């Protein structure tokens, strides 16, 4: 059983097309992640219509820096009130690329709120950590986060070891198809800690990705790990069962 643990179906004009393509490729579960209130509402609607789609609620760290305090608070309240309508928290985390010191501190405190919400609801938490890998791990450990999925996480070996020792999952995406350093990194990740994602509709080599690509990603990871396609699908299924 294959899943796309991190994509954004709300950003497609006709997501039913991408859902059908994915189902044809054996992708049985698509977790569509949200970045703000508008995308939560859209993702909720899509997940209500399609059995293979679950939605995640969260505020993306890059959205936090554009929002007022009142907007952030009302969005958090929306998540808490509608928690029964989602299956995971995400995407949340830290992104220090565009943030100043005040915004970094704000991202950290909102990330901590997301961790508390996920823990209380016993839901997986999908974590974005661009230019903030170490800080993310520190906060996740401090707040004793459970069922952690580190999205687009390509780090040094020490941080990877730390993440694995804390029981976190590493979700590998289409960059493993094209980038040598991601392939090298994927070799270091134990298959028991691997999940797959596309972050669709993010473009790779000028081509818009979609959840159907998960089959290629899984095939590549199987090849890297010296496993058959059947074996990687079996392991992916077991990893998913522990998460949901
Ligand atoms: Zn994303």
């Amino acid at each position: 059983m294959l899943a796309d643990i991190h994509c954004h179906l709300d950003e497609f004009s006709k997501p039913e097309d991408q859902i059908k393509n994915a189902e044809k490729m054996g992708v049985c579960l698509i977790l569509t992640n949200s970045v703000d209130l508008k995308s939560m509402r859209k993702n909720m609607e899509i997940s209500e219509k399609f059995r293979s789609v679950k939605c995640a609620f969260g505020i993306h760290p890059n959205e936090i820096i554009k929002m007022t305090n009142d907007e952030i608070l009302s969005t958090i309240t929306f998540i808490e009130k509608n928690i029964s309508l989602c299956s995971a928290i995400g995407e949340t985390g830290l992104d220090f690329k565009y943030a100043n010191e005040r915004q970094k501190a704000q991202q950290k405190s909102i990330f901590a709120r997301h961790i508390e919400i996920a823990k209380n609801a016993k839901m997986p938490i999908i974590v974005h950590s661009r230019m903030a890998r170490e800080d993310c791990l520190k906060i996740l450990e401090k707040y004793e986060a459970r069922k952690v999925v580190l999205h687009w996480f390509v780090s040094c070996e020490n941080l990877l070891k730390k993440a694995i020792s804390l029981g976190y999952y590493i979700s590998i995406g289409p960059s493993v198809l094209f980038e040598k350093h991601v392939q090298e990194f994927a070799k270091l990740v134990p298959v028991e800690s691997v999940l797959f994602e596309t972050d669709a509709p993010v473009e790779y080599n000028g081509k818009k990705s979609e959840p159907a690509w998960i089959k290629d990603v899984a095939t590549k990871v199987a090849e890297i790990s010296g496993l058959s396609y059947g074996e990687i699908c079996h392991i992916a299924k077991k990893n998913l069962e522990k998460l949901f």
Side-chain angles (χ1 to χ4, degrees):
M1 182 185 155
L2 290 177
D4 186 346
I5 204 74
H6 184 107
C7 66
H8 301 269
L9 286 178
D10 60 301
E11 291 177 27
F12 288 94
S13 56
K14 266 181 78 193
E16 52 271 37
D17 292 347
Q18 280 70 39
I19 295 165
K20 272 184 208 141
N21 292 344
E23 285 172 352
K24 269 186 226 155
M25 288 294 187
V27 181
C28 309
L29 172 67
I30 301 171
L31 185 69
T32 181
N33 282 239
S34 307
V35 299
D36 60 11
L37 192 56
K38 198 173 146 215
S39 75
M40 281 185 248
R41 291 189 197 279
K42 253 183 143 175
N43 281 323
M44 202 163 72
E45 256 175 49
I46 301 167
S47 69
E48 278 166 0
K49 271 193 224 154
F50 297 92
R51 273 190 62 197
S52 58
V53 180
K54 291 181 190 286
C55 68
F57 285 171
I59 317 175
H60 193 292
N62 284 343
E63 295 301 319
I64 287 171
I65 63 181
K66 298 180 212 156
M67 293 162 78
T68 65
N69 276 339
D70 282 350
E71 282 167 342
I72 293 171
L73 287 179
S74 64
T75 308
I76 294 281
T77 305
F78 175 90
I79 298 172
E80 286 171 336
K81 277 194 180 154
N82 294 284
I83 194 79
S84 64
L85 303 174
C86 70
S87 303
I89 296 300
E91 86 179 81
T92 177
L94 308 174
D95 190 324
F96 289 172
K97 190 168 182 186
Y98 305 108
N100 60 32
E101 290 310 311
R102 185 189 60 78
Q103 290 164 330
K104 286 178 188 175
Q106 193 182 25
Q107 286 183 356
K108 286 180 185 177
S109 86
I110 304 302
F111 181 29
R113 270 303 276 283
H114 281 72
I115 295 171
E116 292 299 338
I117 294 171
K119 267 173 69 181
N120 289 339
K122 298 189 169 58
M123 282 179 184
I125 181 164
I126 318 297
V127 180
H128 172 108
S129 57
R130 183 164 57 171
M131 295 173 77
R133 309 271 188 229
E134 199 169 0
D135 287 78
C136 268
L137 292 186
K138 273 188 196 153
I139 293 173
L140 288 162
E141 190 178 15
K142 180 178 169 189
Y143 291 94
E144 299 175 329
R146 302 271 175 270
K147 298 188 177 192
V148 174
V149 179
L150 297 172
H151 134 74
W152 209 315
F153 187 88
V154 182
S155 71
C156 64
E157 209 173 333
N158 279 346
L159 284 185
L160 172 66
K161 277 187 183 154
K162 170 119 184 137
I164 300 297
S165 73
L166 289 164
Y168 301 165
Y169 291 93
I170 309 294
S171 73
I172 297 178
S175 53
V176 78
L177 302 172
F178 312 110
E179 292 176 41
K180 189 98 188 107
H181 80 281
V182 180
Q183 292 163 3
E184 293 299 322
F185 178 78
K187 273 186 201 163
L188 305 173
V189 185
V191 283
E192 293 72 25
S193 306
V194 166
L195 295 168
F196 304 121
E197 68 170 49
T198 58
D199 208 4
V202 164
E203 288 188 10
Y204 300 85
N205 287 347
K207 229 184 138 192
K208 216 185 232 190
S209 62
E210 57 174 288
W213 288 25
I214 289 296
K215 189 176 180 186
D216 289 342
V217 174
T219 304
K220 188 70 188 175
V221 172
E223 181 197 310
I224 287 169
S225 317
L227 298 170
S228 69
Y229 181 68
E231 284 168 329
I232 202 79
C233 290
H234 180 69
I235 293 163
K237 180 176 181 255
K238 279 176 47 187
N239 293 347
L240 269 180
E241 283 168 356
K242 279 184 248 164
L243 208 58
F244 290 105

